[in-house]
CSV table of all heavy atoms in Angstrom, one decimal:
chain,number,residue,atom,x,y,z
Q,1,GLU,N,11.3,-40.5,-36.1
Q,1,GLU,CA,10.4,-39.7,-35.4
Q,1,GLU,C,10.7,-39.5,-33.9
Q,1,GLU,O,10.7,-38.4,-33.4
Q,1,GLU,CB,9.0,-40.3,-35.5
Q,1,GLU,CG,7.8,-39.4,-35.0
Q,1,GLU,CD,6.5,-40.0,-35.3
Q,1,GLU,OE1,6.1,-40.1,-36.5
Q,1,GLU,OE2,5.8,-40.4,-34.3
Q,2,LYS,N,11.2,-40.6,-33.3
Q,2,LYS,CA,11.4,-40.5,-31.8
Q,2,LYS,C,12.9,-40.3,-31.5
Q,2,LYS,O,13.2,-39.9,-30.4
Q,2,LYS,CB,11.0,-41.8,-31.1
Q,2,LYS,CG,9.5,-42.1,-31.4
Q,2,LYS,CD,8.6,-41.1,-30.7
Q,2,LYS,CE,7.1,-41.5,-30.8
Q,2,LYS,NZ,6.2,-40.6,-30.2
Q,3,GLY,N,13.8,-40.6,-32.4
Q,3,GLY,CA,15.2,-40.4,-32.1
Q,3,GLY,C,15.9,-41.8,-31.7
Q,3,GLY,O,15.2,-42.8,-31.7
Q,4,LEU,N,17.2,-41.7,-31.5
Q,4,LEU,CA,17.9,-42.9,-31.2
Q,4,LEU,C,17.9,-43.2,-29.7
Q,4,LEU,O,19.0,-43.5,-29.1
Q,4,LEU,CB,19.4,-42.8,-31.7
Q,4,LEU,CG,19.5,-42.6,-33.2
Q,4,LEU,CD1,20.9,-42.1,-33.6
Q,4,LEU,CD2,19.1,-43.8,-34.0
Q,5,ARG,N,16.8,-43.2,-29.1
Q,5,ARG,CA,16.6,-43.4,-27.6
Q,5,ARG,C,17.5,-42.5,-26.8
Q,5,ARG,O,17.9,-42.7,-25.7
Q,5,ARG,CB,17.0,-44.9,-27.3
Q,5,ARG,CG,16.1,-45.9,-27.9
Q,5,ARG,CD,14.7,-45.8,-27.4
Q,5,ARG,NE,13.8,-46.8,-27.9
Q,5,ARG,CZ,12.5,-46.9,-27.6
Q,5,ARG,NH1,12.0,-45.9,-26.9
Q,5,ARG,NH2,11.8,-47.8,-28.1
Q,6,ILE,N,17.9,-41.3,-27.5
Q,6,ILE,CA,18.7,-40.3,-26.8
Q,6,ILE,C,17.9,-39.0,-26.8
Q,6,ILE,O,17.4,-38.7,-27.9
Q,6,ILE,CB,20.1,-40.1,-27.4
Q,6,ILE,CG1,20.9,-41.4,-27.5
Q,6,ILE,CG2,20.9,-39.0,-26.7
Q,6,ILE,CD1,22.1,-41.4,-28.3
Q,7,LYS,N,17.7,-38.4,-25.7
Q,7,LYS,CA,16.9,-37.3,-25.6
Q,7,LYS,C,17.4,-36.2,-26.5
Q,7,LYS,O,18.6,-35.8,-26.5
Q,7,LYS,CB,16.9,-36.8,-24.1
Q,7,LYS,CG,15.8,-35.6,-23.9
Q,7,LYS,CD,15.8,-35.3,-22.5
Q,7,LYS,CE,14.8,-34.1,-22.2
Q,7,LYS,NZ,14.8,-33.7,-20.8
Q,8,GLY,N,16.5,-35.7,-27.3
Q,8,GLY,CA,16.8,-34.6,-28.2
Q,8,GLY,C,17.2,-35.0,-29.6
Q,8,GLY,O,17.5,-34.1,-30.4
Q,9,THR,N,17.3,-36.3,-29.9
Q,9,THR,CA,17.8,-36.7,-31.3
Q,9,THR,C,16.6,-36.9,-32.2
Q,9,THR,O,16.8,-37.1,-33.4
Q,9,THR,CB,18.6,-38.0,-31.2
Q,9,THR,OG1,17.7,-39.0,-30.6
Q,9,THR,CG2,19.8,-37.8,-30.3
Q,10,GLY,N,15.4,-36.9,-31.8
Q,10,GLY,CA,14.2,-37.1,-32.7
Q,10,GLY,C,13.8,-35.8,-33.4
Q,10,GLY,O,14.4,-34.7,-33.1
Q,11,ILE,N,12.8,-35.9,-34.3
Q,11,ILE,CA,12.4,-34.8,-35.0
Q,11,ILE,C,11.6,-33.8,-34.1
Q,11,ILE,O,10.7,-34.2,-33.4
Q,11,ILE,CB,11.5,-35.2,-36.2
Q,11,ILE,CG1,12.3,-35.9,-37.2
Q,11,ILE,CG2,10.7,-34.1,-36.8
Q,11,ILE,CD1,11.5,-36.5,-38.4
Q,12,GLY,N,12.0,-32.6,-34.2
Q,12,GLY,CA,11.3,-31.5,-33.4
Q,12,GLY,C,11.6,-31.6,-31.9
Q,12,GLY,O,11.0,-30.9,-31.1
Q,13,GLN,N,12.6,-32.5,-31.4
Q,13,GLN,CA,12.9,-32.6,-30.0
Q,13,GLN,C,14.0,-31.6,-29.6
Q,13,GLN,O,14.8,-31.2,-30.5
Q,13,GLN,CB,13.3,-34.0,-29.7
Q,13,GLN,CG,12.2,-35.0,-29.8
Q,13,GLN,CD,12.6,-36.4,-29.4
Q,13,GLN,OE1,13.8,-36.6,-29.0
Q,13,GLN,NE2,11.7,-37.3,-29.4
Q,14,LYS,N,14.0,-31.2,-28.4
Q,14,LYS,CA,15.1,-30.4,-27.8
Q,14,LYS,C,15.6,-31.0,-26.5
Q,14,LYS,O,14.9,-31.7,-25.9
Q,14,LYS,CB,14.6,-29.0,-27.6
Q,14,LYS,CG,14.3,-28.2,-28.9
Q,14,LYS,CD,14.0,-26.7,-28.6
Q,14,LYS,CE,13.8,-25.9,-29.8
Q,14,LYS,NZ,13.5,-24.5,-29.5
Q,15,VAL,N,16.8,-30.6,-26.1
Q,15,VAL,CA,17.3,-31.0,-24.9
Q,15,VAL,C,17.5,-29.8,-24.0
Q,15,VAL,O,17.7,-28.7,-24.5
Q,15,VAL,CB,18.7,-31.7,-25.0
Q,15,VAL,CG1,18.5,-33.1,-25.7
Q,15,VAL,CG2,19.6,-30.9,-25.9
Q,16,LYS,N,17.4,-30.0,-22.7
Q,16,LYS,CA,17.6,-28.9,-21.8
Q,16,LYS,C,19.0,-28.4,-21.7
Q,16,LYS,O,19.3,-27.3,-21.9
Q,16,LYS,CB,17.1,-29.3,-20.4
Q,16,LYS,CG,17.4,-28.3,-19.3
Q,16,LYS,CD,17.0,-28.8,-17.9
Q,16,LYS,CE,17.4,-27.8,-16.8
Q,16,LYS,NZ,17.1,-28.4,-15.5
Q,17,GLY,N,19.9,-29.4,-21.6
Q,17,GLY,CA,21.4,-29.0,-21.6
Q,17,GLY,C,21.8,-28.4,-20.3
Q,17,GLY,O,21.0,-28.1,-19.4
Q,18,HIS,N,23.1,-28.2,-20.1
Q,18,HIS,CA,23.6,-27.5,-18.9
Q,18,HIS,C,23.4,-26.0,-19.1
Q,18,HIS,O,23.1,-25.5,-20.2
Q,18,HIS,CB,25.1,-27.8,-18.8
Q,18,HIS,CG,25.5,-29.2,-18.6
Q,18,HIS,ND1,25.3,-29.9,-17.4
Q,18,HIS,CD2,25.9,-30.2,-19.4
Q,18,HIS,CE1,25.6,-31.1,-17.5
Q,18,HIS,NE2,26.0,-31.4,-18.7
Q,19,LYS,N,23.5,-25.3,-18.0
Q,19,LYS,CA,23.3,-23.9,-18.0
Q,19,LYS,C,24.3,-23.2,-18.9
Q,19,LYS,O,24.0,-22.3,-19.7
Q,19,LYS,CB,23.3,-23.3,-16.6
Q,19,LYS,CG,22.9,-21.9,-16.5
Q,19,LYS,CD,22.9,-21.3,-15.1
Q,19,LYS,CE,22.5,-19.9,-15.1
Q,19,LYS,NZ,22.4,-19.3,-13.7
Q,20,TRP,N,25.6,-23.6,-18.9
Q,20,TRP,CA,26.6,-23.0,-19.7
Q,20,TRP,C,26.3,-23.2,-21.2
Q,20,TRP,O,26.7,-22.4,-22.0
Q,20,TRP,CB,28.0,-23.5,-19.3
Q,20,TRP,CG,28.3,-24.9,-19.6
Q,20,TRP,CD1,28.1,-26.0,-18.7
Q,20,TRP,CD2,28.8,-25.5,-20.8
Q,20,TRP,NE1,28.4,-27.1,-19.3
Q,20,TRP,CE2,28.8,-26.9,-20.6
Q,20,TRP,CE3,29.1,-25.0,-22.0
Q,20,TRP,CZ2,29.3,-27.8,-21.6
Q,20,TRP,CZ3,29.6,-25.9,-23.0
Q,20,TRP,CH2,29.7,-27.2,-22.8
Q,21,GLU,N,25.7,-24.4,-21.5
Q,21,GLU,CA,25.3,-24.6,-22.9
Q,21,GLU,C,24.1,-23.8,-23.3
Q,21,GLU,O,24.1,-23.3,-24.5
Q,21,GLU,CB,25.0,-26.1,-23.1
Q,21,GLU,CG,26.1,-27.0,-22.9
Q,21,GLU,CD,25.7,-28.5,-22.9
Q,21,GLU,OE1,24.7,-28.8,-22.4
Q,21,GLU,OE2,26.5,-29.3,-23.5
Q,22,ARG,N,23.2,-23.6,-22.4
Q,22,ARG,CA,22.0,-22.8,-22.8
Q,22,ARG,C,22.3,-21.3,-23.0
Q,22,ARG,O,21.7,-20.6,-23.8
Q,22,ARG,CB,20.9,-22.9,-21.7
Q,22,ARG,CG,20.3,-24.3,-21.6
Q,22,ARG,CD,19.1,-24.3,-20.8
Q,22,ARG,NE,19.2,-23.7,-19.4
Q,22,ARG,CZ,19.5,-24.4,-18.3
Q,22,ARG,NH1,19.7,-25.7,-18.4
Q,22,ARG,NH2,19.6,-23.8,-17.2
Q,23,THR,N,23.3,-20.8,-22.2
Q,23,THR,CA,23.7,-19.4,-22.2
Q,23,THR,C,24.9,-19.1,-23.1
Q,23,THR,O,25.3,-18.0,-23.2
Q,23,THR,CB,24.0,-18.9,-20.8
Q,23,THR,OG1,25.0,-19.7,-20.3
Q,23,THR,CG2,22.8,-19.0,-19.9
Q,24,MET,N,25.4,-20.2,-23.8
Q,24,MET,CA,26.6,-20.0,-24.6
Q,24,MET,C,26.4,-19.0,-25.8
Q,24,MET,O,27.2,-18.2,-26.1
Q,24,MET,CB,27.0,-21.3,-25.2
Q,24,MET,CG,28.3,-21.3,-26.0
Q,24,MET,SD,28.7,-22.8,-26.9
Q,24,MET,CE,29.1,-23.8,-25.4
Q,25,GLN,N,25.2,-19.1,-26.4
Q,25,GLN,CA,25.0,-18.2,-27.6
Q,25,GLN,C,25.0,-16.7,-27.2
Q,25,GLN,O,25.6,-15.9,-27.9
Q,25,GLN,CB,23.6,-18.6,-28.2
Q,25,GLN,CG,23.4,-18.0,-29.6
Q,25,GLN,CD,22.2,-18.5,-30.2
Q,25,GLN,OE1,21.5,-19.4,-29.7
Q,25,GLN,NE2,21.9,-18.0,-31.4
Q,26,GLY,N,24.4,-16.4,-26.0
Q,26,GLY,CA,24.4,-15.0,-25.6
Q,26,GLY,C,25.8,-14.5,-25.2
Q,26,GLY,O,26.2,-13.4,-25.5
Q,27,ARG,N,26.6,-15.4,-24.6
Q,27,ARG,CA,28.0,-15.1,-24.2
Q,27,ARG,C,28.9,-14.9,-25.4
Q,27,ARG,O,29.7,-14.0,-25.4
Q,27,ARG,CB,28.6,-16.1,-23.2
Q,27,ARG,CG,28.0,-16.0,-21.8
Q,27,ARG,CD,28.6,-17.0,-20.8
Q,27,ARG,NE,28.2,-18.3,-21.0
Q,27,ARG,CZ,29.0,-19.3,-21.5
Q,27,ARG,NH1,30.2,-19.1,-21.9
Q,27,ARG,NH2,28.5,-20.5,-21.6
Q,28,LEU,N,28.7,-15.7,-26.4
Q,28,LEU,CA,29.5,-15.5,-27.6
Q,28,LEU,C,29.2,-14.2,-28.3
Q,28,LEU,O,30.0,-13.6,-28.9
Q,28,LEU,CB,29.3,-16.7,-28.6
Q,28,LEU,CG,29.8,-18.1,-28.1
Q,28,LEU,CD1,29.5,-19.2,-29.1
Q,28,LEU,CD2,31.4,-18.0,-28.0
Q,29,GLU,N,27.9,-13.9,-28.3
Q,29,GLU,CA,27.5,-12.6,-28.9
Q,29,GLU,C,28.1,-11.4,-28.2
Q,29,GLU,O,28.6,-10.4,-28.8
Q,29,GLU,CB,26.0,-12.5,-28.9
Q,29,GLU,CG,25.4,-11.3,-29.6
Q,29,GLU,CD,25.7,-11.2,-31.1
Q,29,GLU,OE1,26.0,-12.3,-31.7
Q,29,GLU,OE2,25.8,-10.1,-31.6
Q,30,GLU,N,28.2,-11.5,-26.8
Q,30,GLU,CA,28.8,-10.4,-26.0
Q,30,GLU,C,30.3,-10.3,-26.3
Q,30,GLU,O,30.8,-9.2,-26.4
Q,30,GLU,CB,28.6,-10.7,-24.5
Q,30,GLU,CG,27.1,-10.5,-24.1
Q,30,GLU,CD,26.9,-10.8,-22.6
Q,30,GLU,OE1,28.0,-11.1,-21.9
Q,30,GLU,OE2,25.8,-10.7,-22.1
Q,31,ARG,N,30.9,-11.5,-26.5
Q,31,ARG,CA,32.4,-11.5,-26.8
Q,31,ARG,C,32.6,-10.8,-28.2
Q,31,ARG,O,33.6,-10.1,-28.4
Q,31,ARG,CB,32.9,-12.9,-26.8
Q,31,ARG,CG,33.1,-13.5,-25.4
Q,31,ARG,CD,33.6,-14.9,-25.5
Q,31,ARG,NE,33.5,-15.6,-24.3
Q,31,ARG,CZ,33.7,-16.9,-24.1
Q,31,ARG,NH1,34.2,-17.6,-25.1
Q,31,ARG,NH2,33.6,-17.5,-23.0
Q,32,ARG,N,31.7,-11.2,-29.1
Q,32,ARG,CA,31.9,-10.6,-30.5
Q,32,ARG,C,31.8,-9.1,-30.5
Q,32,ARG,O,32.6,-8.4,-31.1
Q,32,ARG,CB,30.9,-11.2,-31.4
Q,32,ARG,CG,31.0,-10.9,-32.9
Q,32,ARG,CD,29.9,-11.4,-33.7
Q,32,ARG,NE,28.7,-10.7,-33.4
Q,32,ARG,CZ,28.4,-9.5,-34.0
Q,32,ARG,NH1,29.2,-9.0,-34.9
Q,32,ARG,NH2,27.2,-8.9,-33.7
Q,33,LYS,N,30.8,-8.6,-29.7
Q,33,LYS,CA,30.6,-7.1,-29.6
Q,33,LYS,C,31.8,-6.5,-28.9
Q,33,LYS,O,32.3,-5.4,-29.3
Q,33,LYS,CB,29.3,-6.8,-28.9
Q,33,LYS,CG,28.0,-7.1,-29.7
Q,33,LYS,CD,26.8,-6.8,-28.9
Q,33,LYS,CE,25.6,-7.1,-29.6
Q,33,LYS,NZ,24.3,-6.8,-28.8
Q,34,ALA,N,32.3,-7.2,-27.8
Q,34,ALA,CA,33.5,-6.6,-27.1
Q,34,ALA,C,34.7,-6.5,-28.0
Q,34,ALA,O,35.5,-5.6,-27.9
Q,34,ALA,CB,33.7,-7.4,-25.9
Q,35,MET,N,34.9,-7.5,-28.8
Q,35,MET,CA,36.1,-7.5,-29.7
Q,35,MET,C,35.9,-6.4,-30.8
Q,35,MET,O,36.9,-5.8,-31.2
Q,35,MET,CB,36.2,-8.9,-30.4
Q,35,MET,CG,36.6,-10.0,-29.5
Q,35,MET,SD,38.2,-9.8,-28.7
Q,35,MET,CE,39.3,-10.0,-30.0
Q,36,LEU,N,34.7,-6.2,-31.2
Q,36,LEU,CA,34.5,-5.1,-32.2
Q,36,LEU,C,34.8,-3.7,-31.6
Q,36,LEU,O,35.3,-2.8,-32.3
Q,36,LEU,CB,33.1,-5.2,-32.8
Q,36,LEU,CG,32.8,-6.4,-33.7
Q,36,LEU,CD1,31.3,-6.4,-34.1
Q,36,LEU,CD2,33.7,-6.3,-35.0
Q,37,GLU,N,34.5,-3.6,-30.3
Q,37,GLU,CA,34.6,-2.3,-29.6
Q,37,GLU,C,36.0,-2.1,-29.0
Q,37,GLU,O,36.3,-1.1,-28.4
Q,37,GLU,CB,33.6,-2.1,-28.5
Q,37,GLU,CG,32.1,-2.1,-29.1
Q,37,GLU,CD,31.1,-2.1,-28.0
Q,37,GLU,OE1,31.5,-2.3,-26.8
Q,37,GLU,OE2,29.9,-2.1,-28.3
Q,38,MET,N,36.9,-3.2,-29.1
Q,38,MET,CA,38.2,-3.1,-28.5
Q,38,MET,C,39.1,-2.0,-29.0
Q,38,MET,O,39.7,-1.3,-28.2
Q,38,MET,CB,38.9,-4.5,-28.7
Q,38,MET,CG,40.2,-4.6,-27.9
Q,38,MET,SD,40.0,-4.6,-26.1
Q,38,MET,CE,39.1,-6.1,-25.9
Q,39,PRO,N,39.2,-1.7,-30.3
Q,39,PRO,CA,40.0,-0.6,-30.7
Q,39,PRO,C,39.6,0.8,-30.1
Q,39,PRO,O,40.5,1.6,-29.7
Q,39,PRO,CB,39.9,-0.6,-32.2
Q,39,PRO,CG,39.5,-1.9,-32.6
Q,39,PRO,CD,38.6,-2.4,-31.4
Q,40,GLU,N,38.4,1.0,-30.0
Q,40,GLU,CA,37.9,2.3,-29.4
Q,40,GLU,C,38.2,2.3,-27.9
Q,40,GLU,O,38.6,3.4,-27.3
Q,40,GLU,CB,36.4,2.4,-29.6
Q,40,GLU,CG,35.8,3.7,-29.0
Q,40,GLU,CD,36.3,4.9,-29.6
Q,40,GLU,OE1,36.8,4.9,-30.7
Q,40,GLU,OE2,36.2,6.0,-28.9
Q,41,MET,N,38.1,1.2,-27.2
Q,41,MET,CA,38.5,1.1,-25.8
Q,41,MET,C,40.0,1.3,-25.6
Q,41,MET,O,40.4,2.0,-24.6
Q,41,MET,CB,38.1,-0.3,-25.2
Q,41,MET,CG,38.3,-0.4,-23.7
Q,41,MET,SD,37.9,-2.0,-23.1
Q,41,MET,CE,36.2,-1.9,-23.0
Q,42,ILE,N,40.8,0.8,-26.4
Q,42,ILE,CA,42.3,1.0,-26.3
Q,42,ILE,C,42.6,2.4,-26.6
Q,42,ILE,O,43.5,3.0,-25.9
Q,42,ILE,CB,43.0,0.1,-27.3
Q,42,ILE,CG1,42.8,-1.4,-26.9
Q,42,ILE,CG2,44.5,0.4,-27.4
Q,42,ILE,CD1,43.4,-2.4,-27.9
Q,43,ARG,N,42.0,3.1,-27.6
Q,43,ARG,CA,42.2,4.5,-27.8
Q,43,ARG,C,41.8,5.4,-26.7
Q,43,ARG,O,42.6,6.3,-26.2
Q,43,ARG,CB,41.4,4.9,-29.1
Q,43,ARG,CG,41.7,6.3,-29.6
Q,43,ARG,CD,40.7,6.8,-30.6
Q,43,ARG,NE,39.4,6.9,-30.0
Q,43,ARG,CZ,39.0,7.9,-29.3
Q,43,ARG,NH1,39.8,8.9,-29.0
Q,43,ARG,NH2,37.8,8.0,-28.8
């Protein structure tokens, strides 16, 4: 229920994390879209 005395390891718990970790999902999505649009940009 509480976790292994480490923040975020319990049921339903979350960790704040560093800013680069919190924004990683959005940046990876932007990279994926940029890679898909790369052939059109090269053309």
Side-chain angles (χ1 to χ4, degrees):
E1 191 172 293
K2 304 292 183 183
L4 299 168
R5 297 293 184 186
I6 301 170
K7 188 177 180 181
T9 59
I11 289 179
Q13 293 182 359
K14 290 188 175 183
V15 290
K16 176 185 172 184
H18 298 283
K19 187 176 180 181
W20 65 268
E21 292 173 323
R22 296 195 303 269
T23 57
M24 182 187 290
Q25 195 171 358
R27 285 186 284 109
L28 289 177
E29 184 64 24
E30 287 179 4
R31 286 181 197 173
R32 189 185 70 82
K33 288 180 181 177
M35 292 298 291
L36 291 174
E37 295 171 1
M38 187 64 70
E40 179 64 22
M41 182 182 285
I42 293 172
R43 187 192 66 78

